[in-house]
Amino acid sequence: AQSVTQPDIHITVSEGASLELRCNYSYGATPYLFWYVQSPGQGLQLLLKYFSGDTLVQGIKGFEAEFKRSQSSFNLRKPSVHWSDAAEYFCAVVMYNNNDMRFGAGTRLTVKP
Amino acid sequence: GAGVSQSPSNKVTEKGKDVELRCDPISGHTALYWYRQSLGQGLEFLIYFQGNSAPDKSGLPSDRFSAERTGGSVSTLTIQRTQQEDSAVYLCASSWTGYGYTFGSGTRLTVV
């Protein structure tokens, strides 16, 4: 079955430390891939997206993600986390010409001072 | 408008009552989605509209849920005979291309 998996429900990192949030997908072909962030009480904001081309994509707020076809992964990274990055992060996929976006369960990020 | 607008932002209703949630997408966006986010859960796909095509209703959890989109713009999600398990944040998103959606801030529904 097609699915999006975010293996980590909750991650805690210290401010200034590096961050990697994992996302794996299970689809027959390479989907279009997205990362969204949701701050408490807010809607979802698009961080970055991958359609094709360079497998390392840059997003807003200093985030980047790398698409690895061999691992069916699209992990989100940030070199140095800021306290304001504390939020829920969602990986999402959509198949070409399908227009049906499906989300992972989310990873909640806590940032320690 | 500048973004996706949802109303009301909060709704408290009594069990068994009907509720209507409204989504006003970005002008020109042809794709519109409804998702549900329960406390501590991820996003659950409910329904998808694309232009004048028949909507994809495959995510609606029961026949108490329905949605329509008038004139290819504003959408209304209706929940009949609300139950406590319907309590959640209902999120609407729209897109022009179908990829990379803009989300509204959601409607927090509480059924008491």
Side-chain angles (χ1 to χ4, degrees):
Chain A
Q2 297 175 337
S3 67
V4 184
T5 303
Q6 292 181 246
D8 305 303
I9 297 174
H10 184 202
I11 284 182
T12 300
V13 299
S14 298
E15 190 168 16
S18 63
L19 171 70
E20 183 169 29
L21 303 182
R22 295 182 290 165
C23 174
N24 294 93
Y25 64 89
S26 173
Y27 282 77
T30 299
Y32 296 163
L33 300 155
F34 307 82
W35 275 98
Y36 283 86
V37 60
Q38 186 180 32
S39 298
Q42 303 296 312
L44 279 82
Q45 181 182 24
L46 179 66
L47 284 176
L48 47 80
K49 58 184 181 284
Y50 172 77
F51 289 174
S52 64
D54 192 346
T55 56
L56 184 64
V57 294
Q58 303 296 320
I60 62 172
K61 304 185 179 185
F63 285 91
E64 66 178 27
E66 185 173 12
F67 167 61
K68 292 186 177 179
R69 185 189 306 274
S70 61
Q71 299 177 17
S72 296
S73 69
F74 189 57
N75 294 349
L76 182 71
R77 301 195 296 246
K78 187 169 183 177
S80 177
V81 170
H82 188 262
W83 64 266
S84 60
D85 294 325
E88 187 95 17
Y89 290 81
F90 293 94
C91 178
V93 304
V94 62
M95 292 305 300
Y96 171 75
N97 209 29
N98 186 310
N99 292 330
D100 183 359
M101 177 173 272
R102 300 300 171 115
F103 288 81
T107 297
R108 184 160 60 92
L109 174 65
T110 298
V111 180
K112 294 190 301 184
Chain B
V4 177
S5 177
Q6 290 188 246
S7 61
S9 56
N10 282 283
K11 176 72 176 178
V12 179
T13 190
E14 291 181 4
K15 178 181 173 181
K17 301 280 190 182
D18 298 351
V19 295
E20 286 189 349
L21 312 180
R22 176 188 168 104
C23 173
D24 200 341
I26 293 174
S27 178
H29 279 193
T30 57
L32 186 147
Y33 295 75
W34 283 98
Y35 291 87
R36 178 170 69 175
Q37 186 176 28
S38 302
L39 186 63
Q41 302 296 315
L43 283 85
E44 176 187 6
F45 166 77
L46 295 178
I47 188 169
Y48 159 63
F49 296 89
Q50 174 61 54
N52 296 320
S53 302
D56 176 357
K57 305 180 181 180
S58 60
L60 295 179
S62 77
D63 58 8
R64 296 187 295 105
F65 287 73
S66 63
E68 62 178 22
R69 189 179 185 191
T70 55
S73 181
V74 173
S75 177
T76 302
L77 176 69
T78 301
I79 308 173
Q80 296 178 310
R81 305 181 302 280
T82 52
Q83 303 295 314
Q84 288 186 332
E85 61 263 29
D86 300 334
S87 296
V89 175
Y90 289 82
L91 290 164
C92 174
S94 72
S95 172
W96 178 69
T97 63
Y99 311 123
Y101 312 122
T102 301
F103 280 83
S105 296
T107 295
R108 181 176 298 279
L109 175 66
T110 303
V111 181
V112 297

